[in-house]
Amino acid sequence: MLYPERRDMLFRESLVPFAPADLHYGLRSEFMADKCLEKVNLVIGAYRDDRGQPWVLPTVAQAIQLYHDDALQNQEYLPIAGEQSFCKAAAHLLLGCEDSDMQNRKFSFQTISGTGAVHLGAVFLSKFLAVPKPLVYLSDPTWDNHVPVFTHAGLSVKHYQYYSTETRLLNFEGMIQDLQDAPRGSIIVLQASAHNPTGVDPSQSQWEQIAETMKSSGHFAFFDCAYQGFATGDLMQDSFAVRHFFQQGIEMFIAQSFSKNLGLYGQRTGCLHYVANPGSEASSTVQRVASQLSSLQRSEISTPPLYGAKIASLVLNDKTLSKDWLGDLATMSERIAKMRAELQGRLEELGTPGNWRHITTQIGMFAYTGLNESEVELLRTKWHVYMLPSGRMSVAGLNSRNVSYVADAIHDVVGKVKVRK
């Protein structure tokens, strides 16, 4: 026998059980195998055009051509902190202030998109935050990768009230109360715009109150910014919360992704920005934090990938491309807003039980439909319409050819089944 059975294997079944399959990609695989011609994928958060196809932004296509036409480009390693022309432009895009205002208070690291930025910040905080056993507070609900990223970094996770299932709006009073009650020095994870999964954001005045609560409670802010410009088409509006926190002198991490707003999904292009409190110690603090982030980045990925950062840098730093990019952002955000309006209108026309105004009051890629798990299951098994069991829908999967079909499907299943116990 070439490979005799070994009963002393280190990785025994009891030590290495099967991990649960990823829900998103499991549903994606099921969708791909579905033979129904009318099937609709409302699971994965990636933009699709009105033909239901992936869309390469015209400005990104131009940047790619410029990159390949440049004979001086090469494939050498980037520095540990990444492509600094990209990082500098990314920070300016978020914070909107001049270099002289930022240089003593912040440092930026290129990361493996937004997920890598959250991870790098989480590992740093688990090692260096000056609070014994710090708690991470996430919104309820939140992006489902937040919990494993922070727990894998060794941090304990709790949740603050955020979404009201009754009103389908922000539970602002509950959120503020939970932030006030959290132990001083807690890590509060906030989504800057187009909250995933609910599509419900605080107003600007509410963000101002949140910032005031964060300062008075001595919490550390950790922003996740995955949809700047993609949410409303307005870069300034989508980064209001981050800019306000910066202006208020609040110490924070900001995880920034260019997957959605540049369509660089597969390039995994992102940044982690550290912003220190203002004052005489700021520059020294930034340098020390940057040194430890460099050490962590070096041990985990050595240096970040080159291609996506080069393309993003061209778009962000070229005046013509950056101006044209605003048109691309408007194209995406306006199409999604149109699909929201058409879905709501069709449901109301059909007389579907319930109030569907939340479809258009929510913003961004995702809609929290209010459908229960059993209704979602019936949508998939009877109508071949796929979304997450929570009822979260990727609005980008809707188009002029399928939006009426999806509305008919929702109308058919609403109230037909109860939540399974």
Side-chain angles (χ1 to χ4, degrees):
M1 194 175 196
L2 187 58
Y3 296 106
E5 181 181 1
R6 292 184 56 187
R7 299 189 180 278
D8 59 343
M9 291 289 289
L10 177 61
F11 300 115
R12 297 191 302 274
E13 181 179 352
S14 60
L15 296 177
V16 189
F18 281 105
D22 183 87
L23 177 60
H24 295 70
Y25 287 92
L27 285 170
R28 180 187 184 186
S29 297
E30 186 176 340
F31 172 82
M32 295 298 290
D34 192 330
K35 303 300 183 183
C36 179
L37 296 179
E38 294 183 300
K39 64 183 181 179
V40 182
N41 186 352
L42 304 177
V43 177
I44 302 298
Y47 182 78
R48 296 291 182 263
D49 63 19
D50 198 53
R51 300 170 302 151
Q53 298 301 312
W55 191 53
V56 178
L57 277 62
T59 47
V60 170
Q62 292 179 57
I64 290 171
Q65 189 62 54
L66 289 171
Y67 176 80
H68 288 290
D69 287 346
D70 186 351
L72 297 180
Q73 295 288 358
N74 57 59
Q75 301 302 309
E76 290 294 304
Y77 291 122
L78 289 176
I80 294 174
E83 175 60 50
Q84 286 305 296
S85 66
F86 160 63
C87 292
K88 180 179 177 180
H92 182 76
L93 189 74
L94 266 179
L95 300 173
C97 45
E98 298 303 321
D99 293 340
S100 58
D101 298 322
M102 291 193 290
Q103 61 184 359
N104 293 326
R105 285 188 60 197
K106 74 97 188 160
F107 195 87
S108 302
F109 270 73
Q110 183 189 334
T111 57
I112 309 295
S113 202
T115 304
V118 174
H119 168 75
L120 183 61
V123 174
F124 176 89
L125 292 172
S126 72
K127 292 173 66 69
F128 296 108
L129 196 65
V131 176
K133 297 182 178 180
L135 292 173
V136 177
Y137 280 80
L138 304 167
S139 63
D140 182 18
T142 191
W143 176 47
D144 55 14
N145 217 18
H146 275 147
V147 171
V149 169
F150 282 103
T151 55
H152 287 172
L155 293 163
S156 297
V157 168
K158 298 189 74 172
H159 291 272
Y160 57 85
Q161 298 175 76
Y162 189 84
Y163 179 78
S164 169
T165 56
E166 293 181 0
T167 65
R168 297 178 182 174
L169 299 171
L170 177 68
N171 180 1
F172 183 66
E173 292 75 17
M175 178 183 181
I176 291 296
Q177 187 62 58
D178 284 350
L179 296 188
Q180 291 173 341
D181 291 344
R184 191 171 185 83
S186 294
I187 303 160
I188 311 298
V189 178
L190 303 160
Q191 296 188 43
S193 61
H195 182 270
N196 183 0
T198 68
V200 174
D201 287 354
S203 66
Q204 291 191 359
S205 63
Q206 288 172 332
W207 275 121
E208 291 169 354
Q209 293 180 63
I210 293 168
E212 183 178 341
T213 301
M214 293 285 291
K215 287 187 73 173
S216 62
S217 300
H219 297 322
F220 184 90
F222 198 138
F223 272 102
D224 192 347
C225 184
Y227 305 98
Q228 186 186 2
F230 183 96
T232 66
D234 187 325
L235 292 164
M236 292 282 287
Q237 182 174 333
D238 290 348
S239 61
F240 171 82
V242 174
R243 295 176 188 218
H244 181 72
F245 273 55
F246 178 80
Q247 292 161 2
Q248 294 301 304
I250 297 176
E251 186 179 24
M252 58 183 168
F253 273 142
I254 312 163
Q256 183 182 24
S257 169
F258 288 89
S259 292
K260 270 67 175 185
N261 57 16
L262 280 176
L264 294 173
Y265 299 96
Q267 298 303 331
R268 315 308 296 141
T269 306
C271 277
L272 176 69
H273 309 280
Y274 168 70
V275 176
N277 290 323
S280 58
E281 298 286 325
S283 180
S284 174
T285 301
V286 167
Q287 291 175 33
R288 286 183 281 111
V289 170
S291 73
Q292 291 294 344
L293 288 174
S294 291
S295 178
L296 292 171
Q297 179 111 302
R298 171 66 170 156
S299 68
E300 292 198 332
I301 65 169
S302 191
T303 65
L306 176 144
Y307 189 74
K310 290 287 189 179
I311 300 305
S313 180
L314 283 168
V315 173
L316 297 178
N317 288 296
D318 184 282
K319 289 184 179 180
T320 300
L321 287 180
S322 60
K323 182 179 179 181
D324 291 345
W325 179 44
L326 298 179
D328 295 342
L329 291 170
T331 295
M332 293 188 289
S333 61
E334 288 171 7
R335 197 191 81 75
I336 286 182
K338 181 181 179 182
M339 288 301 100
R340 286 182 177 276
E342 290 192 16
L343 178 62
Q344 177 185 322
R346 177 61 177 164
L347 290 170
E348 291 174 346
E349 180 183 323
L350 291 169
T352 307
N355 186 333
W356 299 96
R357 287 196 298 270
H358 60 283
I359 299 295
T360 52
T361 58
Q362 298 169 7
I363 66 168
M365 180 172 285
F366 303 112
Y368 225 44
T369 61
L371 298 173
N372 64 47
E373 184 175 346
S374 297
E375 291 166 339
V376 169
E377 183 178 355
L378 188 57
L379 276 178
R380 185 176 72 255
T381 56
K382 180 178 179 180
W383 290 85
H384 305 270
V385 174
Y386 291 73
M387 66 176 70
L388 293 184
S390 64
R392 191 205 77 170
M393 168 197 298
S394 177
V395 184
L398 296 175
N399 56 60
S400 58
R401 292 175 297 178
N402 67 22
V403 64
S404 291
Y405 177 82
V406 170
D408 291 344
I410 293 174
H411 178 75
D412 177 66
V413 306
V414 167
K416 296 287 181 64
V417 288
K418 298 180 179 179
V419 179
R420 292 177 299 175
K421 299 296 183 182

